[in-house]
Amino acid sequence: MKKVVDERLKLQLIKNFKIAFLVENAVIVLMLIYQSFKNMDKAISPSNPLWVAFIIGTMTLSLLAVNVTASIEDKPKRSYLKLISYFVLIFIIGSLFFMVAMPKHILLALLCGTVIAVIVSGLLIYENLYRYRDN
């Protein structure tokens, strides 16, 4: 096979990948909705491969999109104090959400809030690397 060198064909190939990803995720979401009508606990659980595939796909897409969108925005870099305050805020909101969802498991709720705060803060720090100007 020859290597594609035409820019129009490269853009069309990228569009095709986007469309395929959207169709794949739409099918996964429809299957999850169908499963949730049958049994909600089984549909949204770590043992369901559809749920895991959906989460991995969306997390990969968001992680890969960070370096493109952050470079385009040309916003000032966030200070470390602001990043730490975002971490604390996300930790509090995430922990409260899980405390409401699982009132008997407070330590697990705090752990889940910490995991979410670490992931989101990691994305913010990664995005901060691609910003151009300092405050």
Side-chain angles (χ1 to χ4, degrees):
M1 259 177 93
K2 285 183 157 185
K3 186 176 180 183
V4 177
V5 292
D6 188 10
E7 285 295 320
R8 292 173 295 170
L9 293 176
K10 287 181 181 178
L11 290 175
Q12 184 61 40
L13 184 64
I14 291 172
K15 287 180 185 176
N16 291 347
F17 280 129
K18 286 181 187 177
I19 292 170
F21 182 76
L22 288 173
V23 169
E24 177 184 358
N25 276 345
V27 169
I28 289 174
V29 167
L30 289 174
M31 290 174 138
L32 286 171
I33 290 172
Y34 175 74
Q35 285 181 356
S36 65
F37 280 126
K38 292 173 74 177
N39 186 1
M40 177 61 103
D41 294 335
K42 188 174 186 220
I44 303 177
S45 73
S47 63
N48 188 352
L50 285 176
W51 181 249
V52 173
F54 180 70
I55 294 298
I56 290 173
T58 54
M59 289 303 293
T60 304
L61 176 66
S62 64
L63 185 63
L64 292 175
V66 165
N67 62 356
V68 175
T69 56
S71 298
I72 293 172
E73 288 178 354
D74 193 27
K75 291 183 179 176
K77 288 190 174 193
R78 293 183 178 107
S79 66
Y80 288 112
L81 181 63
K82 190 177 274 192
L83 290 172
I84 291 171
S85 64
Y86 284 154
F87 175 82
V88 171
L89 182 69
I90 293 167
F91 167 73
I92 291 171
I93 292 172
S95 297
L96 287 175
F97 172 77
F98 282 105
M99 283 180 191
V100 170
M102 309 179 292
K104 295 180 182 178
H105 305 287
I106 301 298
L107 290 176
L108 183 61
L110 291 173
L111 178 69
C112 292
T114 304
V115 168
I116 290 174
V118 166
I119 290 172
V120 172
S121 296
L123 284 172
L124 289 175
I125 291 170
Y126 180 68
E127 178 188 53
N128 212 26
L129 294 175
Y130 289 100
R131 292 182 177 230
Y132 293 119
R133 296 177 277 134
D134 288 331
N135 283 341

